Amino acid sequence: MRYSVGIDDHDSPIAGCTTHFSTILINYFIKNNIKLLDYPYLIRLNPNIPWKTRGNAAIKFSIEFNGTKKELADIIWEKSIDYVKNVSKGLEYNRKPGVAVIDYEKSDNLYNLYLKAVSDIIPRDLVIKYSEKIGAELRGYRGVIGSLAAIGFRGPITYELLTYRKRENWNRKREIDISSVKAFDELFFPKVFANMDYIKKKPLIISHGNDPVFYGIRGLDPNILIKGLETIKTNEKLDMAMIFKSNQATDVHIIKTGNRVYQTIKDSCIVDDIKVIRGGDVIIKCLNSATLICYKETGELNLATKNLMHGDIIEFVGSIKPSLEFGEIIEIERIHINSLVNSKFANPRCPKCNGSTESLGKNKGFRCKKCGNKFLGNKMIIRIPRNLSLGIYQARYYRHLTKPLFLEDLDNSFKYEYIMDFYIIYNSINNILYSN
Ligand code: ATP
């Protein structure tokens, strides 16, 4: 029988990770001759939900298993409980692991649930309803939301290769040879991306904290990611690695936008006023009373918003968050400048002394502030030099789902790629890891 499995919420703030648990599980299945039908999938869901640990990731994979859905769900759940008790300590930190198993052929029926999970907040009850309709086996708590939703994934894909550390190293500082990351990135960009921050001269691939991930590399071709595993040098021997298909870098969170808190919004704004606040974040007030914030960390996007002016027209993409000061605030990740104010009316200069002038009221003329001369005249039009151009500005550090600008042609790129079978890639990974 063929089944699709979803897994979520197996991590904790101090240890473990859902992808790590899934890699252990997949290794177990493969060792026991239970066949994977495709690559496993690393699926990012709504990036704005407050109770995620890091990047709101869930895992989906499909297998051929000689038994019932219930038997499969029980086997996985027993391993889940072991992991959250003994590895991630998730239960102590109020994590709520979940597992979902459905018939493989029914995965497509969950597409709407998946889209909703990327775009909105889903109550657990709705997931229970879907699961009854579709005959899913669910185990666990809140994690069943991400688990069942991830199974419904369909759409453009990228790949991520994740490497894992041996347990005795989880508390040690990660050290990586930066020149090896740079060499890999330079050779394969843009088929690999988000590896190096060339402005801060730092690799972006390293995980932080005590979780088991050492680094993750992202790209369009699994064969190239394998080359990364060969080239990138770390100071410790890695324990495991896995390659996932993913919805990362595909802009799926913008397919179905909304206007409620914790949704992603796409809208337009006529700029009323901008204010740079302490720390360098920029507050943009729109004429329709929406308030946008552009954090300093967004780099070029933040610099661009500092130069916006009253009357400029932009489209923006951002996350709606609650705010004590503004009620709601929109954290922007991308803007498209549609129109820039590049001229304005100004009082004429004084014809006698060229001093600046003030208006005496409608049709009453002007008075020179310097020599007091009063005269009749018209306002003049002056050009405003702008340090901005029309078009897109995007945050320097991409959120997981945000499509980098250079991947605009993403959908087309897959039409000509020949993608290796999962097992060839899986065996290559393990040959590289365990050959020396
Ligand atoms: P890690 O990356 O280590 O797995 P994480 O940041 O992905 O951590 P999770 O541990 O997966 O965080 O926690 C996210 C929780 O939110 C899960 O329980 C998941 O089921 C739930 N969840 C995901 N998307 C939604 C949604 N749209 N609405 C409601 N709950 C959601």
Side-chain angles (χ1 to χ4, degrees), residues 352-363:
K352 265 193 179 165
C353 73
N354 202 33
S356 63
T357 63
E358 61 192 352
S359 169
L360 293 170
K362 205 171 174 203
N363 298 327

Side-chain angles (χ1 to χ4, degrees), residues 25-39:
L25 187 67
I26 288 166
N27 284 338
Y28 164 84
F29 283 142
I30 293 176
K31 264 195 199 117
N32 287 281
N33 294 322
I34 296 168
K35 192 175 159 234
L36 254 79
L37 301 176
D38 187 3
Y39 287 74

Side-chain angles (χ1 to χ4, degrees), residues 8-12 16-19 44-46 49 51-58 95-96 116-123 142-147:
D8 202 356
D9 221 332
H10 281 52
D11 57 337
S12 85
C17 166
T18 304
T19 72
R44 301 280 175 183
L45 300 170
N46 186 347
I49 63 157
W51 49 84
K52 63 184 181 173
T53 322
R54 285 177 286 262
N56 201 7
R95 301 314 297 168
K96 299 184 166 35
K116 195 167 169 57
V118 177
S119 336
D120 206 348
I121 300 279
I122 297 191
R142 189 180 59 209
V144 297
I145 301 172
S147 304

Side-chain angles (χ1 to χ4, degrees), residues 12-17 54 165 170 174 207-214:
S12 85
I14 59 140
C17 166
R54 285 177 286 262
R165 325 174 75 186
W170 287 6
R174 296 169 180 86
S207 183
H208 300 282
N210 297 336
D211 68 278
V213 176
F214 194 120

Side-chain angles (χ1 to χ4, degrees), residues 248-259:
Q248 292 171 156
T250 65
D251 263 0
V252 60
H253 61 313
I254 304 171
I255 291 185
K256 213 176 150 198
T257 51
N259 54 16

